[in-house]
Amino acid sequence: WTRKREYGYVNKEKDPQKRTALIQELSSEILSSIVTRITNLRKEESEISGYIKSYTGDKTASLRGTSIKAIKLALRYFYEFLKQNNLHLLPINAIRKRNIHEFRIYLSKFTGNRSVNGHMTLVKSFFNYYIKNYDDVIFKNPFDGITKLPTNSETHVAYSSSQVKRYFEYMQRHDPALLLYCKFVGLGFVRCEETRNLKVGDIDFNRRTIS
């Protein structure tokens, strides 16, 4: 929406009739340019890159931190896959299930099953977004029916009381700041990112609460 001025050397012509002819010619050129720009813009928006741009823009307004980074990474992988296979100029509703199978194989070449499943879930949500929020963009998610790759469950094992005591004593001597951080996470039930962003003003020392 930037205002642009196009004079086209019209003012250099002093003859009224010739100047009028130059103005009409300039007007035609500007209108032609506008039509071309709009046509190209609509073409770009009809391609999947336009939908990715719109989706990430909407999600950036409501998400932050690692969540939006994960979405952008998954969609970047997806678009790179489409581009390598000359599919990136297709409209969003032209993506088929076989393309999704190929995308999963593409991901598996450089990352593990757990990460593959995560990226696939995020890209599936991208398609669901347009199914749920728009009437005429896409009607079926090509990810439907695609099974997840098997993964090994890694159960978290809590430290024993003796381990906690030993580690706390070590940090007390060598890194009190790290100890304070761990206490907020482990004893205050505050998540890691929240602890990093915690400010003194978030703590009510009289009521002994954290907001």
Side-chain angles (χ1 to χ4, degrees):
W1 300 107
T2 302
R3 176 177 292 180
K4 295 185 180 297
R5 299 181 184 272
E6 294 288 347
Y7 297 105
Y9 303 105
V10 169
N11 293 336
K12 291 186 176 183
E13 179 56 60
K14 302 304 180 183
D15 182 270
Q17 291 182 342
K18 291 182 179 179
R19 179 182 290 192
T20 300
L22 288 175
I23 289 173
Q24 291 174 343
E25 183 180 349
L26 177 62
S27 177
S28 297
E29 290 177 1
I30 291 173
L31 288 174
S32 176
S33 175
I34 290 173
V35 170
T36 302
R37 289 283 297 278
I38 291 175
T39 301
N40 291 338
L41 180 61
R42 286 177 176 171
K43 183 176 182 294
E44 177 185 339
E45 290 178 343
S46 70
E47 296 165 2
I48 198 164
S49 60
Y51 288 105
I52 290 175
K53 184 178 179 180
S54 177
Y55 176 73
T56 54
D58 185 33
K59 289 300 178 181
T60 300
S62 57
L63 299 174
R64 61 179 184 179
T66 56
S67 297
I68 188 62
K69 287 181 181 178
I71 290 172
K72 288 182 176 180
L73 177 62
L75 289 172
R76 188 167 76 243
Y77 284 144
F78 185 56
Y79 189 72
E80 287 173 355
F81 158 76
L82 294 175
K83 202 166 185 179
Q84 287 185 18
N85 292 274
N86 295 319
L87 302 170
H88 60 295
L89 298 180
L90 292 176
I92 189 173
N93 58 11
I95 303 298
R96 297 291 179 260
K97 186 171 290 189
R98 65 176 180 275
N99 303 135
I100 306 307
H101 280 291
E102 293 166 354
F103 174 54
R104 189 172 65 176
I105 294 172
Y106 166 81
L107 287 174
S108 298
K109 292 178 180 178
F110 57 86
T111 190
N113 287 6
R114 188 178 299 276
S115 294
V116 169
N117 291 339
H119 294 320
M120 295 280 285
T121 298
L122 291 173
V123 181
K124 181 179 180 179
S125 297
F126 159 74
F127 283 93
N128 280 335
Y129 171 86
Y130 284 102
I131 292 173
K132 293 178 180 178
N133 294 285
Y134 295 86
D135 294 328
D136 55 354
V137 174
I138 185 172
F139 302 99
K140 185 176 181 181
N141 196 321
F143 279 80
D144 288 345
I146 303 292
T147 58
K148 291 186 176 181
L149 296 175
T151 58
N152 295 323
S153 178
E154 298 176 0
T155 304
H156 294 287
V157 179
Y159 291 120
S160 66
S161 297
S162 60
Q163 286 176 314
V164 171
K165 181 180 179 181
R166 189 165 69 252
Y167 298 150
F168 274 25
E169 288 175 350
Y170 179 88
M171 286 186 285
Q172 182 66 59
R173 294 193 304 270
H174 299 282
D175 198 338
L178 179 60
L179 175 61
L180 179 62
Y181 174 82
C182 290
K183 283 185 175 181
F184 267 113
V185 175
L187 304 180
F189 300 102
V190 182
R191 290 182 294 186
C192 297
E193 184 175 357
E194 293 169 343
T195 301
R196 290 197 299 271
N197 295 325
L198 204 62
K199 301 186 294 291
V200 173
D202 298 327
I203 305 173
D204 188 328
F205 291 96
N206 294 325
R207 297 182 181 180
R208 302 175 67 82
T209 60
I210 301 173
S211 59

